[in-house]
């Protein structure tokens, strides 16, 4: 009898968990995700592919990822300048219209830092997003974690590869979790450290 009761409780818990996830997915909105940062690798394409494979209700936006166009847009549209500083300023002013607008509209801002280039623009975007109260996910290799400690301190999540960004989005949107990253070495917190709130 006791065994049947325990089995019934387990079944009910699984049913409740499934219902909760179903409700989470049902009330999903269209999420705006802004992808800021370096433009010299295919990290944006990897995130886009992962989002598509998981059928996440997401719209991905980004700055203009053509280095040449972002440098020369102002001079092409408004005319050339005699000095590099002026040339850069009219281009930067034009680019910031897109950047500010899309960050303001974003639910989550993903900021990618690579090892090869100094991404001042990415750091500025992270600061602007933080000032606007946006949720931030940083993405970078572990080797540069120390130099980004202040940026990471303002991020909700710090990822090492694009797949972690996709898995994070799948979790916050639908409540879906991937297999543990640590594989067989993963131990649930209740088993490792005991159940929470032992003395409420």
């Amino acid at each position: 009898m006791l065994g049947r009761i325990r089995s019934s409780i387990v079944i009910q818990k699984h049913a409740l968990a499934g219902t909760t996830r179903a409700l989470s997915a049902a009330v999903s909105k269209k999420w705006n995700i802004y992808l800021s940062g370096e433009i010299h690798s295919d990290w944006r394409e990897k995130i886009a592919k992962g989002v598509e494979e998981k059928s996440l209700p997401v719209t991905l936006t980004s700055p203009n990822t053509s280095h040449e166009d972002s440098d020369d847009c102002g001079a092409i549209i408004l005319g050339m300048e005699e000095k590099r500083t002026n040339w850069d300023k009219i281009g930067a002013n034009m680019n910031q219209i897109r950047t500010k607008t899309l960050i303001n509209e974003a639910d989550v801002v993903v900021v990618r830092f690579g090892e090869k280039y100094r991404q001042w623009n990415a750091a500025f975007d992270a600061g602007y997003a933080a000032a606007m109260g946006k949720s931030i996910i940083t993405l970078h290799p572990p080797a540069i974690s120390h130099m980004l400690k202040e940026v990471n301190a303002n991020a909700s999540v710090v990822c090492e590869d694009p797949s972690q960004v996709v898995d994070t989005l799948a979790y916050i949107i639908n409540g879906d979790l991937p297999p543990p990253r640590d594989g067989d070495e993963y131990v649930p917190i209740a088993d490792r450290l005991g159940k929470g709130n032992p003395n409420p």
Side-chain angles (χ1 to χ4, degrees), residues 72-149:
D72 293 333
C73 58
I76 290 172
I77 296 171
L78 303 176
M80 293 190 298
E81 294 285 339
E82 294 299 320
K83 296 181 180 180
R84 177 61 191 251
T85 51
N86 294 338
W87 194 293
D88 284 344
K89 186 176 187 306
I90 61 174
N93 286 347
M94 196 168 286
N95 288 321
Q96 75 172 346
I97 298 173
R98 177 188 179 99
T99 301
K100 284 183 176 181
T101 299
L102 294 178
I103 289 179
N104 288 346
E105 293 176 350
D107 297 298
V108 179
V109 176
V110 179
V111 188
R112 159 73 179 175
F113 295 90
E115 290 182 285
K116 188 175 180 181
Y117 300 96
R118 297 183 178 91
Q119 284 103 45
W120 310 127
N121 289 354
F124 182 85
D125 286 355
Y128 181 75
M132 295 298 295
K134 300 295 179 177
S135 296
I136 299 170
I137 299 174
T138 56
L139 170 62
H140 60 77
I144 58 175
S145 293
H146 175 68
M147 64 188 74
L148 292 171
K149 62 184 184 297

Side-chain angles (χ1 to χ4, degrees), residues 37-44 65 67 112 116-117 119:
E38 61 99 351
I39 60 174
H40 303 287
S41 66
D42 63 350
W43 69 275
R44 286 183 177 85
T65 56
H67 198 159
R112 159 73 179 175
K116 188 175 180 181
Y117 300 96
Q119 284 103 45

Side-chain angles (χ1 to χ4, degrees), residues 6 9 21 33 49 74 97 114 125 154-155 157 187:
R6 285 176 177 171
I9 291 172
R21 288 185 179 179
I33 313 297
K49 182 179 179 182
I97 298 173
D125 286 355
N154 284 281
V157 183
V187 180

Side-chain angles (χ1 to χ4, degrees), residues 178-197:
R181 186 175 181 85
D182 294 320
D184 293 339
E185 295 182 3
Y186 166 76
V187 180
I189 191 169
D191 296 340
R192 182 177 181 129
L193 301 175
K195 293 182 178 180
N197 239 1

